[in-house]
Amino acid sequence: MTKNKMHVLLSGIIALTLLWKGLYFYHMAYTVGAILIGILLGYFIRYKSIYIEKSLNHLVLLVGVGLYFATVFYAVDFGMAFMGALKVLVVYLFYLVITQIKHQHAKALFMDTVIVCCVIMAFLGILAFYIPFLGDYFIQNGRLGSVLQYPNTFGLLIIVGILFLVSKDRLNQGSMVGLVLMWTGLFLTFSRSIFMISIGTMVVYVLYDRRRVRSILWPCLLGMGLGYGVMYNSGLSHMIGRIEATSPTVSEWTTRLLYYQDSLAIIEDYPLGTGHLGFFYLQRLYQTGATYFVKYSHSQIIQIGLDIGIIGMALVGIYFIMNMFGKRLAFHEKLAILVIFGHGAMDFDWEFPAVLMVLMMIVYVDQDKIRKLPVSRGLGYILPIGAVMVYMYMGISTYCAYMGLEEAAIYLYPYDTEAKAALARAYEVKDEDRAYDLAQEILRQNPYHLAGHRIMRDLHNRNGELEEALTSARKMVELNPLGVFHLEIYSDLLLLQLKEQLTLKHPEKAYDTIRELLEIPYYLERLAKERLTSYNVKHKPNLSMSEKLLKNQQETEQILDILLVE
């Protein structure tokens, strides 16, 4: 295959990564991973070796990926940690592929592909406000997320696309139309952070190069005007209030501050990281101030610390400093890096591998540091073929989970905890034994999984196994202390146990249970002092005695009075 054909092929893969939901879901990333390995194998077959970049950038990426695989041995959930490591590896494989190409003119072609994809995403997004079936897919709560289905990350990519397009020396009419469409798409995200970053970025770029005023200002004004028209015609005029609410005391922002605060507490206890999705499983145990439940910490810098520890956070810092203060990149490229890292510091953009691939394209490789790496023929064939088989196998398994075929998913990969949890919930009513076995398997692999404990508690309770139900209920309260609903169930079970103990004439055990029941209001009082904050946050829990808890408390006191009289 000629170099030009290879460039076209890789441009197609770049378009696939951006337009296929940014490879957010596992099976999407694994599919592209298998394709990239196939390309690397093709290079090896042709040249009998591969090229690597002998640089600090390469070392940082290599160590980072290695740390993700290392977490498999100590992660909160090793099965999910392995799945996450395979997903991260895809970005490194993409970096290796562009290292083989290495020519700077290919970088321009790849970034042009990114720009075209951004225009396509924006155009389809605008159409989605008028075509219902597109709207169901591209619009989330009145906000444009386009093919990524997440407005903030879509907006981030649009900013990068705009920045690279306005950096060109000459813009034709088609380019100006593309800029207008991208500004329109950016407006329709209704994202406060994206608005502020886009305006700040363009102001900085104009201050650096005043020649860019025309290519930035007029498309921006036209795009914003078009976006306002789409908003008004779609009956979303109320969304403008979301943009205007940019105060640092807005509940959404202060709730995110809680994510960060609680995440740092987890990192303090797990300095080597918790593995992929470790935060997802531990957050209820550490959360303060609000009963949130999110998959990621909404700060990619902190998320990396959660995943692979403080070493991972240091690697991020090194990579950023090396490329921001080096002399190899142009000003607009450094500005794009600053945007990606800046927004990544307050959102989970990098969970979309496509965003990191765009970062790899911006940084690219230093041609002066490319070296040939001799590889034995046996290893050169066995390693990539084996890796392709792993990616294809895991791709099939995760695709089954994505399509709701959890039985097939866990048959292929028994350590997919989330597929197993979904299956256990489905079996909870129709096949209790199967649901119980699945819950046990989940908790053997991940003792912090709330769904596993909840299913065990409810099944034991349903079958009259009070001691076992109480054991699971205590664990639920321990792992989710701000969930007063679980404390209510625990109180109900304690009251049942108390009545059973009285029936069986076990007064000593009954007094122990009474003490545990009467301790609940003091427990809530201590919890409120330790966990509640004065922040204006969403989902602030009411850590006081609920109606159910008060009723159980009164009944317990009545029973105690009777016992004392006797």
Side-chain angles (χ1 to χ4, degrees):
M1 183 179 290
T2 64
K3 288 182 179 178
N4 287 338
K5 289 182 179 179
M6 181 55 69
H7 295 168
V8 172
L9 173 62
L10 197 52
S11 292
I13 293 171
I14 292 166
L16 176 65
T17 65
L18 289 165
L19 299 177
W20 199 18
K21 296 187 179 180
L23 306 186
Y24 178 80
F25 295 100
Y26 298 107
H27 67 282
M28 299 172 181
Y30 297 166
T31 301
V32 171
I35 295 170
L36 293 171
I37 294 171
I39 292 173
L40 289 170
L41 179 59
Y43 266 98
F44 178 77
I45 292 171
R46 182 170 182 178
Y47 299 108
K48 303 298 184 288
S49 63
I50 63 169
Y51 291 93
I52 62 167
E53 182 186 19
K54 295 188 72 173
S55 68
L56 187 56
N57 274 349
H58 183 197
L59 182 62
V60 166
L61 294 173
L62 186 61
V63 173
V65 173
L67 287 174
Y68 268 96
F69 279 97
T71 61
V72 174
F73 299 100
Y74 59 83
V76 169
D77 190 311
F78 71 86
M80 302 308 294
F82 179 67
M83 291 170 63
L86 285 180
K87 187 178 176 183
V88 170
L89 180 60
V90 174
V91 178
Y92 179 72
L93 291 171
F94 179 77
Y95 163 77
L96 283 182
V97 169
I98 62 176
T99 303
Q100 310 314 304
I101 296 174
K102 61 188 177 290
H103 301 295
Q104 287 296 319
H105 70 271
K107 175 181 177 178
L109 173 64
F110 299 154
M111 289 311 301
D112 285 346
T113 303
V114 173
I115 293 169
V116 170
C117 288
C118 288
V119 173
I120 291 171
M121 286 191 285
F123 179 67
L124 290 175
I126 295 167
L127 290 180
F129 285 89
Y130 300 98
I131 302 176
F133 81 90
L134 287 178
D136 294 340
Y137 187 82
F138 291 155
I139 300 171
Q140 294 77 43
N141 299 319
R143 301 174 61 200
L144 179 59
S146 194
V147 298
L148 300 179
Q149 297 183 319
Y150 186 58
N152 292 352
T153 301
F154 165 64
L156 170 68
L157 288 175
I158 290 294
I159 293 173
V160 173
I162 291 172
L163 192 54
F164 271 82
L165 186 50
V166 299
S167 70
K168 294 181 178 295
D169 291 330
R170 298 182 64 181
L171 295 178
N172 55 30
Q173 290 183 345
S175 298
M176 297 300 284
V177 170
L179 283 170
V180 171
L181 289 173
M182 284 193 283
W183 278 112
T184 303
L186 188 146
F187 178 86
L188 293 171
T189 64
F190 302 113
S191 170
R192 293 176 286 251
S193 61
I194 289 298
F195 267 56
M196 290 188 290
I197 290 173
S198 62
I199 293 170
T201 300
M202 297 308 151
V203 168
V204 170
Y205 197 28
V206 166
L207 291 175
Y208 174 78
D209 187 350
R210 296 183 186 278
R211 295 175 303 167
R212 310 295 175 185
V213 172
R214 181 177 176 274
S215 58
I216 291 175
L217 184 59
W218 292 113
C220 175
L221 294 175
L222 287 171
M224 293 292 183
L226 180 59
Y228 190 87
V230 172
M231 176 190 72
Y232 184 79
N233 290 331
S234 302
L236 296 170
S237 56
H238 61 281
M239 296 297 287
I240 199 70
R242 191 181 194 280
I243 301 170
E244 293 171 350
T246 55
S247 167
T249 59
V250 170
S251 62
E252 184 176 342
W253 170 243
T254 50
T255 302
R256 288 197 183 191
L257 290 179
L258 287 179
Y259 302 166
Y260 307 156
Q261 174 183 300
D262 299 343
S263 297
L264 291 174
I266 295 174
I267 293 172
E268 185 178 352
D269 288 346
Y270 294 85
L272 296 179
T274 62
H276 179 63
L277 291 190
F279 169 74
F280 181 60
Y281 299 123
L282 292 173
Q283 61 184 295
R284 294 289 179 92
L285 180 59
Y286 284 83
Q287 67 186 194
T288 58
T291 54
Y292 60 84
F293 193 46
V294 291
K295 197 168 188 178
Y296 303 108
S297 68
H298 283 264
S299 170
Q300 203 61 62
I301 314 301
I302 293 175
Q303 185 64 49
I304 287 177
L306 290 163
D307 288 352
I308 57 177
I310 54 177
I311 297 174
M313 296 178 77
L315 292 174
V316 171
I318 292 169
Y319 191 85
F320 176 75
I321 292 169
M322 281 287 297
N323 291 290
M324 282 299 295
F325 296 98
K327 298 180 180 180
R328 187 168 58 87
L329 300 178
F331 181 81
H332 70 279
E333 292 172 329
K334 291 182 179 181
L335 196 53
I337 293 171
L338 183 62
V339 168
I340 291 172
F341 274 81
H343 195 264
M346 53 186 179
D347 219 324
F348 58 90
D349 307 304
W350 301 358
E351 299 303 327
F352 294 82
V355 173
L356 288 177
M357 291 181 180
V358 170
L359 179 62
M360 296 298 105
M361 284 181 272
I362 294 169
V363 175
Y364 212 62
V365 293
D366 188 343
Q367 286 182 269
D368 296 333
K369 296 179 180 178
I370 302 295
R371 300 289 184 271
K372 183 180 287 188
L373 178 67
V375 181
S376 66
R377 179 168 295 185
L379 187 63
Y381 285 107
I382 293 172
L383 191 60
I385 291 173
V388 166
M389 291 176 67
V390 169
Y391 267 123
M392 291 176 65
Y393 185 86
M394 291 298 293
I396 294 170
S397 172
T398 51
Y399 178 72
C400 288
Y402 177 77
M403 296 300 295
L405 305 172
E406 288 87 3
E407 284 282 15
I410 64 173
Y411 175 79
L412 292 170
Y413 183 64
Y415 309 111
D416 187 340
T417 303
E418 290 310 295
K420 197 172 288 184
L423 191 61
R425 284 189 286 266
Y427 274 120
E428 201 171 350
V429 176
K430 60 184 179 181
D431 190 341
E432 290 186 1
D433 291 339
R434 177 66 170 144
Y436 185 84
D437 291 341
L438 287 167
Q440 281 190 316
E441 291 175 19
I442 290 168
L443 295 177
R444 277 196 294 267
Q445 181 171 316
N446 180 354
Y448 296 95
H449 202 286
L450 287 172
H453 289 292
R454 199 270 307 158
I455 290 169
M456 296 280 280
R457 179 197 67 193
D458 292 352
L459 289 178
H460 282 307
N461 188 27
R462 199 180 302 167
N463 292 312
E465 298 162 340
L466 193 53
E467 285 290 339
E468 292 83 356
L470 270 168
T471 300
S472 296
R474 285 191 186 97
K475 197 66 179 177
M476 286 293 296
V477 172
E478 176 189 328
L479 294 177
N480 187 11
L482 299 189
V484 176
F485 171 73
H486 296 298
L487 186 61
E488 290 176 343
I489 295 175
Y490 179 51
S491 174
D492 285 341
L493 292 171
L494 281 174
L495 196 56
L496 283 174
Q497 183 185 57
L498 174 60
K499 293 175 180 178
E500 184 178 279
Q501 289 165 344
L502 292 173
T503 302
L504 296 173
K505 301 188 183 303
H506 292 153
E508 291 183 359
K509 291 182 178 180
Y511 278 117
D512 289 338
T513 303
I514 288 171
R515 276 192 291 270
E516 200 166 351
L517 278 161
L518 295 180
E519 173 64 21
I520 289 175
Y522 302 103
Y523 163 78
L524 283 172
E525 185 178 343
R526 289 194 305 271
L527 195 65
K529 290 178 180 178
E530 293 171 1
R531 298 291 183 104
L532 291 187
T533 68
S534 59
Y535 299 150
N536 172 32
V537 296
K538 294 180 177 180
H539 313 300
K540 192 169 185 176
N542 181 14
L543 295 182
S544 59
M545 294 290 284
S546 66
E547 185 177 341
K548 165 66 74 173
L549 290 174
L550 285 171
K551 181 181 177 183
N552 289 351
Q553 186 86 355
Q554 290 170 359
E555 190 170 352
T556 302
E557 290 172 351
Q558 290 171 1
I559 292 172
L560 178 61
D561 290 341
I562 294 170
L563 287 175
L564 291 174
V565 171
E566 292 177 351

